[in-house]
């Protein structure tokens, strides 16, 4: 307890070394069950160090085959500093859905590239998926450096090749690290073999990624009203503070109207409190009541959001009936529900093959993810998903039913 957990999704072209790197991390952080470790020791004493990794990889595979739920693609390991969950399932429909609905939101992504092969098709697809999912913290590991004699030149060639593509999809790596998962170079231990490299080792890099946990506390106030009740002639707006905090006498604005108002009192279960923080469910009484209704978002006077009627988003379509341009939909974001339609689809990917389709797209089929522009009939309060997922994630409804999910980009 008290330690935070970082969820990381591992991506990269098949055979570039994901399982080996994960196995290496588990061994070097001693994160396998006790009996597995002694078993591994026994085997590697007999067969040498290479057997050690193969064993871990097989063990993971076995674990996965025994459990068919999505959770088995999650691998846990810990360091003194924090706990980690590795999600090893890009390209799984469930994975994309879980990410987009916030069920299993990763905090960061690792993109693995084989130094001897460079950037391949799946490297690009995965990078694009990372960007579509709004993940901004990405660590690039250039693996199999042993196969290129730990050459600085080749490392630079690979990252130059990658940089162009990443820039295209709007990603900037936080770290780019030369490693050899097989030989255990630069994972947790430094090595003379990469003397020329001055950055952090792989695990160190993961350890320094911030998990925006308390971030919502310092962010601007966003209080979407869920309902308004009248109790003894007093109108009480109830809801949950999605970011920031509220206090008595605070100067606020109700969106979308933009009217100024003041918090008269804050109530929790009939008791008055002076101040309430993020994720607290509360009732508030305001000086002016005319504007208060479900779907209105209360914000601080100093940090009012820009209202949008056009939103750039990624949408994951989940319904048999395709999503056509300008189809009549309703977007629900927090408690706001507003009619909308898709103006354009710029690119889309098939979530099972991750194939990118760029031309002549006028609809999304079931399980496709599209990079789209949404036009709402009236203004809406949204935030970038990477900034505030509570107001950056949304669902799209068609004829009253949830038909897709999305994130604001
Ligand atoms: P995945 O498909 O991305 O999970 O790749 P694997 O981890 O299964 O690795 C594919 C192959 O590459 C295996 O034969 C590994 O032993 C090998 N491999 C992985 N990492 C390294 C490395 O750092 N150096 C070398 N030489 N081979 C590696």
């Amino acid at each position: 307890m008290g330690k935070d957990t970082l969820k990381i999704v591992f991506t990269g072209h098949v055979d570039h070394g994901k399982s080996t790197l994960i196995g290496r991390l588990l061994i070097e952080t001693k994160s396998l069950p006790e009996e597995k470790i002694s078993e591994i020791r026994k085997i590697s004493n007999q067969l040498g160090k290479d057997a050690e990794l193969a064993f871990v990889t097989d063990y993971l595979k076995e674990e996965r085959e025994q459990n068919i739920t999505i959770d088995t693609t999650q691998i846990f390991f810990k360091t003194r500093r924090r706990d980690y969950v590795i999600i090893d399932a890009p390209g799984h429909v469930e994975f994309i859905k879980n990410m987009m609905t916030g069920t299993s939101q990763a905090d960061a992504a690792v993109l693995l590239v084989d130094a001897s092969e460079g950037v391949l098709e799946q490297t690009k697809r995965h990078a694009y998926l990372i960007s579509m999912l709004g993940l901004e913290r990405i660590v690039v590991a250039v693996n199999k450096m042993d196969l290129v004699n730990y050459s600085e030149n080749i490392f630079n060639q690979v990252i130059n090749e990658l940089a162009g593509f990443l820039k295209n999809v709007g990603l900037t790596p936080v770290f780019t690290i030369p490693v050899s998962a097989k030989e255990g170079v630069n994972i947790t231990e430094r090595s003379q073999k990469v003397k020329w490299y001055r950055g952090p080792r792989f695990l160190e890099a993961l350890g320094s990624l911030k998990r925006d946990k308390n971030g919502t506390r310092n962010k601007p106030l966003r209080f979407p009203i869920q309902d308004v009740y009248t109790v003894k002639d007093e109108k009480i707006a109830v809801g949950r503070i999605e970011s920031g905090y509220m206090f008595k006498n605070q100067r606020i604005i109700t969106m979308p109207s933009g009217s100024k108002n003041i918090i008269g009192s804050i109530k929790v279960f009939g008791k008055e409190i002076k101040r309430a923080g993020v994720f607290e469910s509360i009732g508030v009484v305001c000086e002016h009541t005319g504007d208060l209704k479900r779907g209105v978002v209360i914000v601080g006077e100093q940090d009012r959001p820009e209202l949008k009627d056009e939103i750039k988003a990624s949408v994951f379509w989940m319904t048999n009936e395709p999503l056509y341009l300008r189809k009549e939909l309703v977007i629900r974001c927090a408690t706001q529900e507003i009619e909308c339609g898709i103006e354009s689809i710029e690119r889309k990917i098939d979530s099972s093959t991750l194939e990118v389709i760029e031309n002549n797209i006028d609809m999304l089929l079931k399980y496709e993810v599209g990079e789209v522009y949404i036009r709402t009939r009236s203004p809406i309060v949204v935030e970038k998903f990477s900034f505030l997922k509570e107001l950056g994630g949304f669902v799209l409804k068609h004829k009253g039913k949830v038909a897709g999910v999305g994130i604001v980009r």
Side-chain angles (χ1 to χ4, degrees), residues 12-21 57 112 143-147 179-183:
H13 196 87
V14 64
D15 279 346
H16 280 195
K18 269 189 294 158
S19 328
T20 310
L21 180 60
T57 313
L112 222 71
N143 190 31
K144 306 200 189 179
M145 286 299 295
D146 54 298
L147 293 184
V179 302
S180 167
K182 195 169 169 188
E183 298 197 338

Side-chain angles (χ1 to χ4, degrees), residues 77-91:
F77 74 96
K78 46 176 91 183
T79 61
R80 225 175 307 152
R81 197 167 185 170
R82 62 154 53 126
D83 295 347
Y84 293 90
V85 180
I86 296 176
I87 307 167
D88 179 26

Side-chain angles (χ1 to χ4, degrees), residues 117-338:
E117 291 205 316
V119 175
L120 294 183
E121 189 56 31
Q122 268 178 0
T123 322
K124 292 185 182 177
R125 289 183 184 183
H126 284 176
Y128 184 51
L129 178 68
I130 292 169
S131 92
M132 278 260 215
L133 295 175
L135 279 170
E136 288 180 344
R137 272 160 292 182
I138 144 169
V139 173
V140 171
V142 178
N143 190 31
K144 306 200 189 179
M145 286 299 295
D146 54 298
L147 293 184
V148 297
N149 292 320
Y150 295 95
S151 149
E152 182 177 10
N153 270 343
I154 292 182
F155 174 75
N156 286 334
Q157 271 169 31
V158 172
I159 59 174
N160 283 339
E161 189 190 358
L162 193 61
F165 181 76
L166 291 181
K167 197 165 167 229
N168 240 336
V169 296
L171 290 174
T172 317
V174 189
F175 300 105
T176 306
I177 310 169
V179 302
S180 167
K182 195 169 169 188
E183 298 197 338
V185 167
N186 248 354
I187 311 296
T188 60
E189 283 162 37
R190 251 180 230 298
S191 164
Q192 280 303 306
K193 293 172 178 161
V194 279
K195 287 205 285 285
W196 46 266
Y197 171 75
R198 306 204 184 283
R201 287 151 289 179
F202 185 69
L203 190 58
E204 219 178 331
L206 298 186
S208 71
L209 294 175
K210 291 211 174 51
R211 192 191 108 64
D212 202 24
K213 192 176 76 187
N214 299 319
T216 34
R217 203 170 295 160
N218 305 320
K219 282 175 184 169
L221 168 64
R222 299 290 181 263
F223 180 74
I225 299 176
Q226 245 159 42
D227 250 315
V228 179
Y229 300 112
T230 307
V231 182
K232 293 186 203 136
D233 296 336
E234 225 174 27
K235 266 191 157 182
I236 303 179
V238 300
R240 190 175 86 138
I241 301 179
E242 299 297 356
S243 74
Y245 53 89
M246 284 174 116
F247 54 90
K248 195 178 157 84
N249 298 329
Q250 186 176 18
R251 293 178 172 279
I252 54 155
I253 290 174
T254 46
M255 302 297 277
S257 76
S259 309
K260 290 188 177 178
N261 211 330
I262 291 175
I263 301 286
S265 63
I266 303 174
K267 299 184 179 194
V268 180
F269 296 117
K271 262 178 68 184
E272 214 176 304
I273 56 171
K274 287 220 166 68
R275 200 186 149 94
V278 69
F279 300 149
E280 281 188 66
S281 292
I282 55 169
V284 295
V285 177
C286 299
E287 201 153 272
H288 313 289
T289 57
D291 214 23
L292 305 180
K293 60 170 193 249
R294 179 180 168 85
V296 164
V297 182
I298 290 180
V299 305
E301 199 179 58
Q302 299 308 324
D303 41 41
R304 66 196 276 165
E306 215 182 302
L307 283 169
K308 303 277 183 206
D309 60 6
E310 189 188 55
I311 306 165
K312 184 182 178 194
S314 298
V315 164
F316 178 59
W317 193 245
M318 304 190 293
T319 313
N320 284 328
E321 203 184 308
L323 169 61
Y324 297 105
L325 293 182
R326 283 171 287 282
K327 187 171 183 139
E328 286 176 17
L329 303 167
V330 169
I331 180 170
R332 190 183 75 213
C333 176
T335 61
Q336 308 169 92
E337 295 212 13
I338 295 171

Side-chain angles (χ1 to χ4, degrees), residues 355-374:
E355 187 193 355
V356 183
I357 303 152
E358 291 202 282
N359 296 316
N360 303 322
I361 327 166
D362 48 14
M363 63 174 164
L364 283 186
L365 304 176
K366 189 179 185 178
Y367 297 153
E368 286 182 340
V369 186
E371 195 175 295
V372 306
Y373 283 89
I374 297 173

